[in-house]
Amino acid sequence: MKEWKITLAQLAPTLMEVRKNAGRALEVMYESARRGSGLIVLPELYLSGYAVSGFIRSEAEKRALRADVAEGLSMLREGGKKSKTDILVSYPLFEDGTEKPYIALEYIAGGETLALHRKINLCNYAQYTEHLNFTAGDDVVVAKSERGNSGLFVCEDLWHVTNAIFAVKLGAEVLFYPSAATVLERSAAPGCLRNWQRLTVGTAFSQTSYVVCCNQAAGGEPYFGGSHVVAPDGELLLQLPFFEEAVADIVLDGKLLREVRDMRPLIANERLDIYRKYI
């Protein structure tokens, strides 16, 4: 990786308005492309909105949302071709043979699918019941491109550091975590973000990688924002505000990445083979 300018799009999608959400993402994509950005990062389940479970009870509802998502993805792929900008977009993925959708994260480059991640760790505690409404994925996914190598994860995947360890061993230089994290009270947002940053800073430092967290944010909703980027030396490079939409660019410096990995060769020294006997 050399220099990679990316855009965090901390947006508030409208629930079940896929075409509207895709259109907003295209606006951000075209604006960011004019600023020289190579990648747009959107929050978890951005295309549909996060709270979709109540709208996909029947087979007819599932088919309708599946068709809407396909149309939204087509819009984004066409926009990516025109703007020459990559995009990370999350949505409910319906596949034959599964009753419940996956929480998917797709890396679209040049208007084509470069990689597709299915959320591995579904949150089943606090105010979250993802295990009741979604299917868990089984694979660690790294999207490799000329811009950089991206470990693709979603929200709760961050809280299980094994995911990051294996992604970095597979070649990831940047770990992406689109999310839809919430608080029950607005006053709890700073404390919740501190917990998130304990994880993002620790992951970036221990895995000598960039960590990018892009959260939903909305003034009247529990999604608290606070999207941020951490450098491979553990320094916080960027943080977006609480409870409001925000878009910001940042340049990820490949030189710093190489310097940190040369100074602390933790990835090369990892001995994953010894853990086979415990599984």
Side-chain angles (χ1 to χ4, degrees):
M1 187 178 82
K2 296 180 181 178
E3 281 195 352
W4 192 8
K5 188 173 188 177
I6 69 170
T7 299
L8 270 68
Q10 179 176 288
L11 303 180
T14 302
L15 186 61
M16 300 300 290
E17 294 287 347
V18 174
R19 186 176 181 84
K20 177 180 177 181
N21 297 334
R24 176 75 174 104
L26 286 175
E27 292 175 2
V28 173
M29 177 188 287
Y30 293 137
E31 292 165 0
S32 300
R34 286 193 287 271
R35 299 192 301 271
S37 179
L39 173 68
I40 312 302
V41 186
L42 296 161
E44 179 180 10
L45 287 176
Y46 172 77
L47 268 189
S48 61
Y50 179 77
V52 297
S53 57
F55 298 89
I56 50 174
R57 300 299 187 195
S58 70
E59 290 304 314
E61 288 173 327
K62 292 176 184 178
R63 286 194 299 271
L65 181 55
R66 188 172 186 170
D68 287 346
V69 166
E71 181 183 7
L73 289 173
S74 179
M75 292 170 61
L76 295 179
R77 291 190 179 105
E78 187 61 30
K81 285 181 183 177
K82 291 179 180 178
S83 66
K84 295 182 173 56
T85 305
D86 298 348
I87 188 164
L88 264 179
V89 60
S90 178
Y91 55 87
L93 173 65
F94 297 89
E95 291 188 333
D96 296 337
T98 58
E99 180 183 352
K100 297 176 286 188
Y102 296 96
I103 297 177
L105 177 63
E106 183 171 342
Y107 191 117
I108 299 172
E112 304 293 336
T113 301
L114 179 64
L116 180 64
H117 170 70
R118 297 162 180 83
K119 188 174 183 177
I120 297 169
N121 300 104
L122 302 178
C123 196
N124 62 352
Y125 58 92
Q127 62 265 37
Y128 304 99
T129 57
E130 292 176 353
H131 61 300
L132 300 179
N133 302 305
F134 297 97
T135 298
D138 295 322
D139 296 305
V140 173
V141 176
V142 176
K144 296 185 177 182
S145 73
E146 293 181 358
R147 301 185 193 273
N149 296 339
S150 306
L152 306 186
F153 296 109
V154 180
C155 204
E156 180 69 12
D157 291 340
L158 170 69
W159 295 68
H160 302 265
V161 70
T162 312
N163 295 324
I165 292 170
F166 278 94
V168 170
K169 287 295 284 185
L170 290 170
E173 299 162 312
V174 186
L175 302 169
F176 289 96
Y177 298 93
S179 57
T182 62
V183 288
L184 299 179
E185 298 179 356
R186 291 175 67 89
S187 61
C192 190
L193 181 60
R194 280 195 296 274
N195 289 335
W196 274 84
Q197 290 183 348
R198 287 185 178 102
L199 290 164
T200 53
V201 170
T203 299
F205 189 86
S206 67
Q207 301 310 308
T208 57
S209 302
Y210 284 97
V211 170
V212 178
C213 177
C214 186
N215 193 24
Q216 283 194 36
E221 299 290 339
Y223 308 104
F224 62 85
S227 302
H228 57 282
V229 178
V230 184
D233 59 4
E235 291 298 314
L236 183 66
L237 300 179
L238 172 70
Q239 180 179 312
L240 300 187
F242 291 117
F243 296 109
E244 63 182 70
E245 291 191 326
V247 176
D249 302 331
I250 187 166
V251 175
L252 308 183
D253 184 0
K255 182 173 181 289
L256 174 62
L257 180 78
R258 291 187 294 275
E259 288 174 350
V260 171
R261 290 186 170 184
D262 287 344
M263 181 176 63
R264 292 187 284 112
L266 303 181
I267 301 166
N269 294 345
E270 196 74 68
R271 297 183 59 204
L272 298 180
D273 57 300
I274 71 170
Y275 299 104
R276 290 196 181 100
K277 59 180 173 282
Y278 299 115
I279 298 175

